[in-house]
Amino acid sequence: MPTLRPTDCRSRRPLGATSFLATALALGGLVGCDADGADPGEATRAGPSVPVEPGEWPAYGRDPGGTRFSPLDGIRRDNVAELEVAWTYRTGEAPDDPDHDAADGGGCAECHSSDARFEVTPLMVGGTLYLSTPVNRVVALDPASGEQRWVYDSQANLDLDYSEGFISRGVSYWTAGPGGAGPCLERIFLGTIDARLVALDASSGSPCADFGEAGQLPLDRDVGRVDPGDYMITSPPAVAGDVVVVGSAIGDNRRAAVERGIVRGFHARTGEQLWAWDPIPRSPEHPAWSEWTPEAAEVTGAANAWAPLAADPERDLVFVPTGSAAPDFYGGQRTGSNLFANSVVALRASTGEVVWHFQVVHHDLWDYDVPAQPSLITVPREGQDVPAVVVGTKMGHLFVLHRETGEPLLPVEERPVPPSTIPGEEAWPTQPFPVAPPPLIDRPLTPDLAYGVSEESRRFCRALLGTLWHEGPFTPPSTQGTLIWPGIAGGMNWGGMAWYPARNLVVTTLKHIPFFVRLHPRAEFAEARRQGQEGVEFAGQQGTPFGMSRAPLIAPDGTPCSPPPWGTLIAVDVDAGVIAWEVPLGTVPDAEQHPAFDGDPDLGTLPFGGPMVTAGGLVFVAATMDDHFRAFDVETGNKLWDVVLPAGGQATPMTYETGGRQFVVIAAGGREGIGSPGDYVIAYALPEG
């Protein structure tokens, strides 16, 4: 097999790599590596949500259902080019600027990290902007000026080597509603990288003394053996009425018996645990018991929900996107479909009871987690608006389901897929494919289609592809090496989707980068890892007969072996079940040297972050490796605005209105190997007056 560059698995730091290669190896770090060794009764129902004010953004996806749509239209197609920087705030956590302090001089000089990933989407509610930093400080800002109002430091343990790096994608907001008095009637909830749930007074940032233990709860209990740095909370909790629902991020591929992916519901006032739901059955009473062997159900971990959850408080539902059961690439010890892993599961928010489920991958062998927050939209059927949930996947599949039953509203069919060649492995014989819309990534990738800037690069990629087995996106891992295309880190991911209700368009970003995975018999694994093929990540998968290695398919010059675009922005018409438009997203350096160059440097770079849509007919998205922030026409995909950020915008933007002025805000801090590092929060607006 052609040689690739080395990477340090635990630190996620690629060694001697070009920018695109560093990015791809950082993508590999999405999967963990081998490791050593009030009246609580009030929450018997979730309760209705507080109406979302048009000018606010009170939840991670703006509303509990994660639509990322704002009805504001002050910024429109005809004036978006006039946007200018209204204010800039710096958190004080820039990894390349340890002497910089935050706006008030407080800063955080001790918490700089080269593995910080500034992926936050701020909230704006009640006249205050709230955000969290990668090391779990919560900041409240004046939304008109960006001036700091308060900062809370959760004192996260910064000494651990977290398998996901330092990440906090945001905070959540809860209110007791009108008529109350006293502190903490409005609360900000933070899930920390060291697995705690913190409740803060929204007006002061002080911990809410009546919640849990002095304002916080430990979440790393009753989830099995916990390895330090491998059990984390990286996405904001879901809030449904008086219930706060929390998932977890778990370092993958260490062993089969990793931490359990339990989802829990807590009372927003007291912190009392109301329910706990394990996606993997531990007893015959669990509705998925028949899909597992008793032995596997007892020891298998993960199937956790690391991506943001969605909620429908009026229906008392929370929608949980689950990941793969452990480990990712060998499932011989967990035969069966492995329900409820790799599924979207609708739970009763007040009780944790399973209402319905839809599995997007049976018996996952590819790390095909459900990575994006489900989006709750409506679709027309027979003259009526039908409540729906849209589910996006790493394979580029988009499923549109009835929100109350889980039944597909657009056709889905089970198709045969290749069997495994590994002794003991029982790959599931079929997998669900959406018929409409069709798979969003459906390009072939064969040796004769290998891409490269030079003939030398193309020869390298042709040779590499020629060694790998590939018969579609569900080709099982093998000892010879299997091409995973779409790759482990794409198409859709945590950046999620945005909905434009006027046309019923769902807009999202897609990654197009191939990976390979190879299984190593246990007796050969140590030697394979010792030899350490360059650029290849190894993980032990303890408790199974095979370790694994994997890497992105990248030429020595850092270019992916798949043709561009490597990142796109796409709009899907969910009424008709068709792709409305798709455009490359991101500028490639030295684009004129590429065979694919046709005068436009936008060949597409890997996007980390998602879009948001406004009633002004605009899609705002950053996410790209080139540190740009862009606006597109939601109807056509035409680019209307493009500015350069001071750091990588690896986050999803948001918008709000205050003082009669609409603002668009993006966190610009990059992440290791992807986008320039920084600690900026930047607000754009039209010129005053």
Side-chain angles (χ1 to χ4, degrees):
M1 181 175 292
T3 301
L4 302 172
R5 292 188 172 88
T7 182
D8 178 344
C9 184
R10 283 298 297 177
S11 70
R12 308 306 193 269
R13 297 182 181 92
L15 308 178
T18 62
S19 60
F20 218 125
L21 177 58
T23 299
L25 294 176
L27 293 178
L30 289 173
V31 176
C33 300
D34 191 20
D36 302 325
D39 178 4
E42 292 180 5
T44 54
R45 66 178 183 87
S49 62
V50 176
V52 178
E53 297 297 328
E56 296 188 336
W57 192 284
Y60 175 74
R62 186 176 179 270
D63 49 68
T67 65
R68 291 170 188 79
F69 169 75
S70 170
L72 297 178
D73 60 1
I75 302 170
R76 305 178 304 275
R77 299 177 180 91
D78 60 354
N79 63 17
V80 65
E82 301 172 28
L83 285 178
E84 61 184 21
V85 174
W87 55 259
T88 299
Y89 174 82
R90 300 193 66 180
T91 68
E93 295 181 21
D96 60 342
D97 189 8
D99 296 324
H100 173 71
D101 287 337
D104 70 341
C108 186
E110 75 282 0
C111 64
H112 302 279
S113 169
S114 61
D115 201 13
R117 305 175 182 188
F118 202 15
E119 298 177 355
V120 68
T121 298
L123 309 184
M124 193 289 218
V125 60
T128 300
L129 194 74
Y130 302 96
L131 62 102
S132 55
T133 72
V135 296
N136 297 155
R137 295 160 69 240
V138 181
V139 181
L141 303 177
D142 183 304
S145 66
E147 293 182 4
Q148 183 176 287
R149 289 179 174 169
W150 56 256
V151 175
Y152 168 81
D153 190 344
S154 70
Q155 299 294 317
N157 186 344
L158 306 182
D159 296 326
L160 295 179
D161 183 12
Y162 292 103
S163 59
E164 297 291 329
F166 289 95
I167 304 175
S168 178
R169 298 189 180 98
V171 295
S172 301
Y173 170 82
W174 172 86
T175 177
C184 283
L185 293 177
E186 295 179 87
R187 302 186 178 194
I188 298 297
F189 285 97
L190 168 73
T192 69
I193 194 72
D194 54 5
R196 291 172 288 135
L197 179 62
V198 180
L200 305 175
D201 187 326
S203 62
S204 68
S206 300
C208 296
D210 59 349
F211 183 88
E213 303 166 13
Q216 60 181 287
L217 292 170
L219 298 177
D220 56 357
R221 299 175 182 175
D222 304 319
V223 294
R225 170 184 148 193
V226 175
D227 292 337
D230 279 307
Y231 187 83
M232 305 145 283
I233 313 299
T234 56
S235 293
V239 177
D242 290 337
V243 183
V244 180
V245 186
V246 187
S248 60
I250 295 175
D252 300 339
N253 294 315
R254 294 167 286 140
R255 57 181 189 272
V258 297
E259 299 83 359
R260 296 179 174 181
I262 295 174
V263 178
R264 287 168 284 195
F266 298 95
H267 196 292
R269 291 179 181 271
T270 67
E272 179 194 7
Q273 182 173 303
L274 302 171
W275 51 264
W277 175 74
D278 193 332
I280 298 177
R282 311 298 175 180
S283 69
E285 291 74 31
H286 193 288
W289 180 258
S290 63
E291 301 294 324
W292 293 75
T293 64
E295 296 78 13
E298 181 180 355
V299 301
T300 305
N304 52 298
W306 60 265
L309 283 59
D312 184 340
E314 283 71 25
R315 289 178 171 83
D316 192 19
L317 294 175
V318 61
F319 300 87
V320 180
T322 64
S324 173
D328 288 334
F329 300 103
Y330 178 79
Q333 87 295 344
R334 51 172 171 87
T335 55
S337 69
N338 298 153
L339 205 64
F340 292 114
N342 305 92
S343 303
V344 59
V345 183
L347 302 179
R348 189 70 61 201
S350 55
T351 65
E353 171 193 6
V354 174
V355 177
W356 59 259
H357 58 86
F358 182 88
Q359 191 173 49
V360 304
V361 180
H362 311 313
H363 190 74
D364 184 17
L365 301 173
W366 306 272
D367 189 20
Y368 279 158
D369 301 335
V370 182
Q373 181 183 31
S375 291
L376 308 187
I377 70 170
T378 60
V379 296
R381 288 294 182 274
E382 298 179 354
Q384 297 189 5
D385 284 339
V386 175
V389 54
V390 180
V391 181
T393 75
K394 290 182 179 181
M395 302 85 73
H397 291 176
L398 198 72
F399 298 97
V400 183
L401 311 174
H402 196 295
R403 198 185 311 173
E404 295 174 342
T405 66
E407 292 296 319
L409 293 171
L410 292 172
V412 176
E413 63 184 26
E414 291 281 334
R415 298 177 185 170
V417 293
S420 176
T421 59
I422 297 298
E425 180 61 84
E426 297 182 20
W428 202 257
T430 64
Q431 294 291 347
F433 284 79
V435 177
L440 305 186
I441 300 177
D442 198 26
R443 292 186 284 158
L445 183 58
T446 57
D448 60 306
L449 295 174
Y451 186 77
V453 175
S454 65
E455 182 56 37
E456 179 184 5
S457 294
R458 287 190 289 275
R459 282 197 301 267
F460 176 94
C461 289
R462 279 196 297 268
L464 182 54
L465 283 165
T467 68
L468 302 176
W469 179 30
H470 184 65
E471 297 182 33
F474 296 103
T475 308
S478 61
T479 54
Q480 78 173 74
T482 294
L483 170 64
I484 301 183
W485 173 247
I488 294 161
M492 286 163 270
N493 217 282
W494 56 263
M497 302 161 282
W499 179 45
Y500 184 55
R503 281 276 313 279
N504 236 354
L505 297 177
V506 169
V507 184
T508 190
T509 58
L510 294 175
K511 299 184 192 68
H512 306 251
I513 182 168
F515 273 70
F516 80 82
V517 64
R518 183 180 181 186
L519 295 180
H520 303 269
R522 182 63 55 201
E524 303 172 10
F525 177 70
E527 178 62 18
R529 184 167 57 176
R530 187 188 68 78
Q531 292 181 0
Q533 276 191 305
E534 296 186 37
V536 180
E537 179 185 20
F538 287 82
Q541 300 191 138
Q542 299 298 325
T544 77
F546 295 90
M548 74 87 177
S549 60
R550 61 165 204 164
L553 270 65
I554 301 291
D557 61 12
T559 305
C561 290
S562 57
W566 299 296
T568 59
L569 183 70
I570 188 169
V572 177
D573 183 332
V574 293
D575 287 351
V578 298
I579 296 171
W581 53 260
E582 184 174 15
V583 295
L585 182 62
T587 300
V588 174
D590 302 318
E592 65 278 0
Q593 299 179 16
H594 283 257
F597 180 70
D598 61 357
D600 186 350
D602 285 354
L603 297 181
T605 68
L606 304 180
F608 265 78
M612 68 104 172
V613 173
T614 71
L618 299 171
V619 181
F620 287 93
V621 63
T624 54
M625 294 169 59
D626 58 11
D627 297 351
H628 284 231
F629 188 22
R630 299 172 170 90
F632 296 82
D633 187 324
V634 72
E635 301 271 1
T636 65
N638 291 335
K639 185 170 63 176
L640 302 175
W641 178 70
D642 189 339
V643 296
V644 180
L645 298 167
Q650 276 63 53
T652 300
M654 52 84 73
T655 187
Y656 59 87
E657 185 177 77
T658 186
R661 196 178 186 198
Q662 183 180 352
F663 294 79
V664 176
V665 172
I666 184 72
R671 52 178 288 165
E672 185 183 13
I674 304 172
S676 303
D679 64 345
Y680 299 86
V681 181
I682 305 174
Y684 294 87
L686 297 173
E688 290 189 272

